[in-house]
Amino acid sequence: MNITQKITLNKKLSVIVILLFLLAGVVGLSFTNGPAAPKPNIKKDSVASVKAFMGVYKVLMSPRCMNCHPNGDVPLQGEDSHLHTMNVKRGVDGKGVYALKCSNCHQPTNTPGLHTPPGNPNWHLPPANMRMVFQGRTPRQLAKQIIDPNKNGHKDMKALIAHADDGLVLAGWNPGEGRKLPPLSHAEFKRLWLIWLNNGAYAPAK
């Protein structure tokens, strides 16, 4: 083999070595990063979302929900949502003030008897710094409020989905003797709640 052939062979070997290094780098990078993560399948259906929220809105505006979400600091009572008697007030933590704490009358379970205080271990209004008003809100106003973390108790979408099964939410369907249930069953309410949220949580036009 003459000098010219040796030089040509060395060049070819050099090119092969470089290609092998490059190939090894690409393969190593593939194993390091793994397969690309699939993009989440986020549904966006404004028509289905808004339609579902209008059913949700009917429940939220019923006395079983709205009575604990007043536009003032006095909870509401009764099917006509009149101001709570005995001068009860929200308080900083939503659990009443001074001797008039919610838990004084609202025990862990419903008190037996007609129109006696309903019960729950965590009975309270929203706190003063996150009042979550339902009373007087239009469907659009309420929908936008519910999905705003600065107004809904800092809940993200996952927490909002879970909120359908919150203890106080469920208490609306166990209100005690002499009180009307919300206009939809809890199962139907939850179904519409999830449709609304999972399809984009759109707010109605008005």
Side-chain angles (χ1 to χ4, degrees):
M1 182 181 294
N2 58 39
I3 295 176
T4 303
Q5 288 175 324
K6 286 183 178 180
I7 293 173
T8 302
L9 180 60
N10 287 337
K11 287 182 177 179
K12 289 180 178 180
L13 289 173
S14 298
V15 170
I16 291 171
V17 170
I18 291 171
L19 289 174
L20 287 173
F21 273 114
L22 290 174
L23 180 60
V26 170
V27 172
L29 185 61
S30 298
F31 280 109
T32 301
N33 293 339
K39 293 182 179 180
N41 183 22
I42 300 174
K43 296 183 291 183
K44 293 289 184 179
D45 188 336
S46 60
V47 174
S49 184
V50 168
K51 182 178 179 181
F53 182 77
M54 293 309 295
V56 167
Y57 182 75
K58 291 178 182 178
V59 173
L60 300 185
M61 298 305 287
S62 74
R64 300 291 76 79
C65 294
M66 191 179 70
N67 282 1
C68 286
H69 292 269
N71 59 16
D73 287 324
V74 179
L76 308 176
Q77 283 183 310
E79 304 308 320
D80 61 351
S81 298
H82 61 268
L83 293 177
H84 200 298
T85 58
M86 297 176 288
N87 198 32
V88 173
K89 298 291 179 62
R90 182 190 304 273
V92 174
D93 59 0
K95 297 181 180 181
V97 296
Y98 305 119
L100 293 176
K101 294 291 186 180
C102 301
S103 58
N104 289 355
C105 294
H106 296 277
Q107 300 299 302
T109 59
N110 292 342
T111 303
L114 193 65
H115 301 300
T116 53
N120 184 274
N122 194 31
W123 194 275
H124 67 278
L125 271 66
N129 65 352
M130 193 73 67
R131 294 164 70 240
M132 271 301 294
V133 175
F134 289 5
Q135 186 182 17
R137 294 291 192 260
T138 67
R140 180 174 180 80
Q141 289 171 336
L142 190 49
K144 291 177 76 66
Q145 175 179 276
I146 290 172
I147 62 171
D148 184 347
N150 294 319
K151 297 179 180 178
N152 70 10
H154 308 295
K155 292 180 177 64
D156 59 12
M157 194 61 65
K158 183 178 179 181
L160 284 174
I161 288 171
H163 192 65
D165 293 315
D166 177 81
L168 275 181
V169 172
L170 292 171
W173 282 268
N174 182 32
E177 297 178 54
R179 296 182 181 88
K180 293 181 180 179
L181 294 174
L184 302 176
S185 69
H186 178 262
E188 179 63 6
F189 166 77
K190 182 176 178 179
R191 186 183 75 84
L192 295 176
W193 179 258
L194 295 180
I195 290 174
W196 173 54
L197 293 173
N198 288 330
N199 282 279
Y202 286 92
K206 297 182 180 179

